[in-house]
Amino acid sequence: MLSVCSDFRLLANLALREALTSGKTARGSLARFASQQAKLLHLNFYHALAATDLAVALARAHRGRLRRHRASTVPYLRRLFLRTSHHCFHFDPQTGKLRLSLRSGEWISFQVHVAPYHRSILAKPGLRVTQLHLTPERAILIYGKPAPEPYAPESLLALDTNEGTLDGVTVAPKEGTHAVRVDFSEIPTIQSCHAKRRRHLARKKATDRRVGKRLLNREGRREHDRVRSRLHPLTKQLVAVAAAHRAALAIEDLSQMPHPRRRGRLARRKPSTRRRLSSWPRGELNRQLAYKAAEWGVPIYWVNPFRTSRTCPRCGGIAVPRSRVGPVFVCPQCAWSLDRQLNAGANIGRIVLRETKELGGLRLDLDALLDEAMTPRYPFECIGRAREERTGREGRPLKDSVQTLLQ
Ligand SMILES: [Zn+2]
């Protein structure tokens, strides 16, 4: 089997080199090349296809990095592994028996240890194992799950992303309009803690760049992991609450937002503020919300955030410039005033209600917001603060108080 792994790696590297030197980007022409090479290496057609897919993905990522003027070395596969599609293997999760086609007419079968948890996952209806990634140490099964059709929304949860919070409104037919605030304040705490540590490390290892770089990289990875693991329960709860109330989510569409640094908006800020504002993981938050919403069948609407923080939701008046909008938005044309962050969430709600037919029965009641703006609901406030250093899984278990949202 190891010889097959090493032949497969060779095949993938040949396809990769072909993709980079000839400039081929089409999967078809690369697959033709790879299947010719596969014949010479006595591998089958499906190995060639898997190697082509790898080569195409790696070459595309490399080209993308070069286009964006990022540092990139020419990709090359070093690790020994075999990736095959479901045509080439058969796996029985109950017995753990894996039967695998190595070369044309040559099969092996062996036993894989399957934990009860994995067995329960693989037994779910509709789930299909699509790929096998085999290394000398482990077997990784990659499966696909059909996403349910999004339900017809009965209410709306519109949120604006801010540093440390998501603020916005919920609109339901019976309960009316309410202001909500989802607390993510732990994440800035984690980030500032790690920024402090990185600064300290950089100073301490200023004379040893090699060790300094390694330690700083490790610090960065640890921060990344901690932020992710804190975001996951929060996004899961948010989507679960939306699903329980058959609510649609409305979130700002980051792809339509100019990068603040490119706009020069951040240039005037202090360096510490700049770091804080641009390190807030908006992209990761939206990625998690998007895939979890798809998994739960929650409809999600992406709203262009242009001017949402400085527009009046009542009369459409625009405050200029943005930097003069303080913690409270005050309309220059009418008497409307509201917490700036809640105001942006209300605008997102207004836009999505105006533009979406499925939400036609809902009405944004702005007067209800005025009464509540001083005390928005904090659906996630029960989650514990971030610790200074990771010692196992962070935070206390989530309580049921999340259910106050959308009641
Ligand atoms: Zn106004």
Side-chain angles (χ1 to χ4, degrees), residues 49-64:
L49 278 187
T52 307
D53 285 341
L54 272 171
V56 167
L58 287 170
R60 185 183 295 156
H62 175 61
R63 284 196 204 100

PDB file of all heavy atoms in Angstrom, residues 49-64:
ATOM      1  N   LEU A  49      -8.065  11.113 -11.437  1.00  0.00           N
ATOM      2  CA  LEU A  49      -9.030  12.195 -11.188  1.00  0.00           C
ATOM      3  C   LEU A  49      -8.778  12.853  -9.831  1.00  0.00           C
ATOM      4  O   LEU A  49      -8.801  14.081  -9.718  1.00  0.00           O
ATOM      5  CB  LEU A  49     -10.460  11.650 -11.225  1.00  0.00           C
ATOM      6  CG  LEU A  49     -11.099  11.474 -12.592  1.00  0.00           C
ATOM      7  CD1 LEU A  49     -12.554  11.088 -12.424  1.00  0.00           C
ATOM      8  CD2 LEU A  49     -10.985  12.741 -13.425  1.00  0.00           C
ATOM      9  N   ALA A  50      -8.530  12.022  -8.807  1.00  0.00           N
ATOM     10  CA  ALA A  50      -8.285  12.578  -7.469  1.00  0.00           C
ATOM     11  C   ALA A  50      -7.015  13.422  -7.472  1.00  0.00           C
ATOM     12  O   ALA A  50      -6.979  14.513  -6.874  1.00  0.00           O
ATOM     13  CB  ALA A  50      -8.180  11.450  -6.450  1.00  0.00           C
ATOM     14  N   ALA A  51      -5.966  12.944  -8.171  1.00  0.00           N
ATOM     15  CA  ALA A  51      -4.720  13.697  -8.244  1.00  0.00           C
ATOM     16  C   ALA A  51      -4.943  15.006  -8.991  1.00  0.00           C
ATOM     17  O   ALA A  51      -4.390  16.052  -8.626  1.00  0.00           O
ATOM     18  CB  ALA A  51      -3.649  12.863  -8.950  1.00  0.00           C
ATOM     19  N   THR A  52      -5.782  14.972 -10.039  1.00  0.00           N
ATOM     20  CA  THR A  52      -6.075  16.191 -10.799  1.00  0.00           C
ATOM     21  C   THR A  52      -6.765  17.219  -9.914  1.00  0.00           C
ATOM     22  O   THR A  52      -6.413  18.396  -9.920  1.00  0.00           O
ATOM     23  CB  THR A  52      -7.006  15.858 -11.982  1.00  0.00           C
ATOM     24  OG1 THR A  52      -6.419  14.806 -12.715  1.00  0.00           O
ATOM     25  CG2 THR A  52      -7.206  17.056 -12.864  1.00  0.00           C
ATOM     26  N   ASP A  53      -7.757  16.756  -9.144  1.00  0.00           N
ATOM     27  CA  ASP A  53      -8.482  17.689  -8.273  1.00  0.00           C
ATOM     28  C   ASP A  53      -7.542  18.361  -7.280  1.00  0.00           C
ATOM     29  O   ASP A  53      -7.631  19.566  -7.039  1.00  0.00           O
ATOM     30  CB  ASP A  53      -9.593  16.948  -7.514  1.00  0.00           C
ATOM     31  CG  ASP A  53     -10.761  16.642  -8.427  1.00  0.00           C
ATOM     32  OD1 ASP A  53     -10.863  17.292  -9.485  1.00  0.00           O
ATOM     33  OD2 ASP A  53     -11.554  15.743  -8.104  1.00  0.00           O
ATOM     34  N   LEU A  54      -6.632  17.568  -6.706  1.00  0.00           N
ATOM     35  CA  LEU A  54      -5.645  18.127  -5.777  1.00  0.00           C
ATOM     36  C   LEU A  54      -4.791  19.169  -6.471  1.00  0.00           C
ATOM     37  O   LEU A  54      -4.582  20.271  -5.955  1.00  0.00           O
ATOM     38  CB  LEU A  54      -4.732  17.010  -5.269  1.00  0.00           C
ATOM     39  CG  LEU A  54      -5.174  16.259  -4.041  1.00  0.00           C
ATOM     40  CD1 LEU A  54      -4.264  15.060  -3.837  1.00  0.00           C
ATOM     41  CD2 LEU A  54      -5.081  17.178  -2.836  1.00  0.00           C
ATOM     42  N   ALA A  55      -4.282  18.810  -7.676  1.00  0.00           N
ATOM     43  CA  ALA A  55      -3.382  19.702  -8.399  1.00  0.00           C
ATOM     44  C   ALA A  55      -4.092  20.998  -8.769  1.00  0.00           C
ATOM     45  O   ALA A  55      -3.530  22.088  -8.621  1.00  0.00           O
ATOM     46  CB  ALA A  55      -2.853  19.014  -9.656  1.00  0.00           C
ATOM     47  N   VAL A  56      -5.345  20.886  -9.217  1.00  0.00           N
ATOM     48  CA  VAL A  56      -6.096  22.076  -9.612  1.00  0.00           C
ATOM     49  C   VAL A  56      -6.284  23.003  -8.413  1.00  0.00           C
ATOM     50  O   VAL A  56      -6.050  24.208  -8.503  1.00  0.00           O
ATOM     51  CB  VAL A  56      -7.468  21.668 -10.211  1.00  0.00           C
ATOM     52  CG1 VAL A  56      -8.390  22.863 -10.339  1.00  0.00           C
ATOM     53  CG2 VAL A  56      -7.280  21.029 -11.572  1.00  0.00           C
ATOM     54  N   ALA A  57      -6.662  22.420  -7.263  1.00  0.00           N
ATOM     55  CA  ALA A  57      -6.907  23.242  -6.067  1.00  0.00           C
ATOM     56  C   ALA A  57      -5.628  23.919  -5.595  1.00  0.00           C
ATOM     57  O   ALA A  57      -5.620  25.118  -5.294  1.00  0.00           O
ATOM     58  CB  ALA A  57      -7.486  22.372  -4.954  1.00  0.00           C
ATOM     59  N   LEU A  58      -4.507  23.165  -5.573  1.00  0.00           N
ATOM     60  CA  LEU A  58      -3.247  23.740  -5.087  1.00  0.00           C
ATOM     61  C   LEU A  58      -2.746  24.825  -6.035  1.00  0.00           C
ATOM     62  O   LEU A  58      -2.283  25.880  -5.602  1.00  0.00           O
ATOM     63  CB  LEU A  58      -2.188  22.640  -4.941  1.00  0.00           C
ATOM     64  CG  LEU A  58      -2.391  21.700  -3.756  1.00  0.00           C
ATOM     65  CD1 LEU A  58      -1.442  20.523  -3.845  1.00  0.00           C
ATOM     66  CD2 LEU A  58      -2.157  22.440  -2.454  1.00  0.00           C
ATOM     67  N   ALA A  59      -2.849  24.556  -7.343  1.00  0.00           N
ATOM     68  CA  ALA A  59      -2.370  25.533  -8.329  1.00  0.00           C
ATOM     69  C   ALA A  59      -3.220  26.796  -8.268  1.00  0.00           C
ATOM     70  O   ALA A  59      -2.695  27.910  -8.350  1.00  0.00           O
ATOM     71  CB  ALA A  59      -2.410  24.936  -9.731  1.00  0.00           C
ATOM     72  N   ARG A  60      -4.527  26.622  -8.072  1.00  0.00           N
ATOM     73  CA  ARG A  60      -5.406  27.798  -8.020  1.00  0.00           C
ATOM     74  C   ARG A  60      -5.077  28.657  -6.804  1.00  0.00           C
ATOM     75  O   ARG A  60      -4.998  29.882  -6.895  1.00  0.00           O
ATOM     76  CB  ARG A  60      -6.860  27.344  -7.969  1.00  0.00           C
ATOM     77  CG  ARG A  60      -7.824  28.503  -8.027  1.00  0.00           C
ATOM     78  CD  ARG A  60      -9.252  28.057  -7.894  1.00  0.00           C
ATOM     79  NE  ARG A  60      -9.666  27.239  -9.019  1.00  0.00           N
ATOM     80  CZ  ARG A  60     -10.655  26.361  -8.967  1.00  0.00           C
ATOM     81  NH1 ARG A  60     -11.304  26.182  -7.841  1.00  0.00           N
ATOM     82  NH2 ARG A  60     -10.986  25.661 -10.023  1.00  0.00           N
ATOM     83  N   ALA A  61      -4.867  28.008  -5.656  1.00  0.00           N
ATOM     84  CA  ALA A  61      -4.545  28.757  -4.432  1.00  0.00           C
ATOM     85  C   ALA A  61      -3.223  29.493  -4.605  1.00  0.00           C
ATOM     86  O   ALA A  61      -3.084  30.656  -4.203  1.00  0.00           O
ATOM     87  CB  ALA A  61      -4.479  27.810  -3.244  1.00  0.00           C
ATOM     88  N   HIS A  62      -2.235  28.833  -5.245  1.00  0.00           N
ATOM     89  CA  HIS A  62      -0.930  29.446  -5.468  1.00  0.00           C
ATOM     90  C   HIS A  62      -1.060  30.673  -6.366  1.00  0.00           C
ATOM     91  O   HIS A  62      -0.525  31.740  -6.056  1.00  0.00           O
ATOM     92  CB  HIS A  62      -0.013  28.401  -6.111  1.00  0.00           C
ATOM     93  CG  HIS A  62       1.336  28.924  -6.512  1.00  0.00           C
ATOM     94  ND1 HIS A  62       2.224  29.438  -5.599  1.00  0.00           N
ATOM     95  CD2 HIS A  62       1.929  29.021  -7.728  1.00  0.00           C
ATOM     96  CE1 HIS A  62       3.321  29.825  -6.232  1.00  0.00           C
ATOM     97  NE2 HIS A  62       3.159  29.590  -7.525  1.00  0.00           N
ATOM     98  N   ARG A  63      -1.807  30.526  -7.469  1.00  0.00           N
ATOM     99  CA  ARG A  63      -2.002  31.655  -8.384  1.00  0.00           C
ATOM    100  C   ARG A  63      -2.719  32.813  -7.694  1.00  0.00           C
ATOM    101  O   ARG A  63      -2.374  33.974  -7.893  1.00  0.00           O
ATOM    102  CB  ARG A  63      -2.819  31.225  -9.602  1.00  0.00           C
ATOM    103  CG  ARG A  63      -2.015  30.432 -10.586  1.00  0.00           C
ATOM    104  CD  ARG A  63      -2.714  30.367 -11.925  1.00  0.00           C
ATOM    105  NE  ARG A  63      -2.248  29.192 -12.644  1.00  0.00           N
ATOM    106  CZ  ARG A  63      -2.911  28.063 -12.711  1.00  0.00           C
ATOM    107  NH1 ARG A  63      -4.090  27.951 -12.154  1.00  0.00           N
ATOM    108  NH2 ARG A  63      -2.405  27.037 -13.352  1.00  0.00           N
ATOM    109  N   GLY A  64      -3.714  32.447  -6.864  1.00  0.00           N
ATOM    110  CA  GLY A  64      -4.466  33.486  -6.142  1.00  0.00           C
ATOM    111  C   GLY A  64      -3.551  34.281  -5.223  1.00  0.00           C
ATOM    112  O   GLY A  64      -3.627  35.504  -5.157  1.00  0.00           O
TER     113      GLY A  64
END
